[in-house]
Amino acid sequence: MERHVEQPDNYETWLAQCGLQKSQFHDLFRKMTDLPPKAYVNRIKMQRAAAALLESNRSVTHIAETLGYSTIHHFTRHFTAYYGISPTQYRKSH
């Protein structure tokens, strides 16, 4: 998951790799990480987005595309929900 965070969430691939049923995978994953799989992937994406905003001059649009978001609006909504401020505000304030 961490190596391929930019790829769309694909439960079927994860399940095939683990050989588990969806409910088993979800339960074990949550026990190990305290998060459901989608929230875990979102956390990784948000951490990478924050680092990219601070460590590069890449545009917010480019960062969003790199992380697999189809639109800047979708990325901005997720980022703002996670950090409480927009990506542009985050970059300016840190």
Side-chain angles (χ1 to χ4, degrees):
M1 286 178 178
E2 291 182 27
R3 281 186 249 146
H4 303 288
V5 73
E6 71 286 347
Q7 294 177 356
D9 299 337
N10 189 347
Y11 258 74
E12 300 305 318
T13 301
W14 300 340
L15 297 175
Q17 290 173 344
C18 297
L20 299 171
Q21 297 294 322
K22 187 174 183 176
S23 61
Q24 292 173 310
F25 174 79
H26 191 274
D27 290 345
L28 286 172
F29 194 94
R30 192 173 190 122
K31 284 179 187 176
M32 298 293 290
T33 65
D34 290 326
L35 292 171
K38 285 189 178 194
Y40 184 82
V41 168
N42 187 54
R43 183 177 72 182
I44 294 168
K45 286 183 177 185
M46 293 300 99
Q47 290 171 342
R48 290 190 183 172
L53 288 165
L54 299 180
E55 297 170 1
S56 76
N57 291 326
R58 291 185 290 157
S59 70
V60 174
T61 300
H62 186 262
I63 292 168
E65 290 170 352
T66 301
L67 291 171
Y69 285 91
S70 57
T71 68
I72 184 67
H73 304 292
H74 189 220
F75 168 72
T76 300
R77 212 171 26 249
H78 275 192
F79 191 94
T80 302
Y82 193 84
Y83 285 106
I85 58 175
S86 72
T88 303
Q89 291 171 319
Y90 186 90
R91 180 177 263 166
K92 289 178 183 176
S93 68
H94 288 82

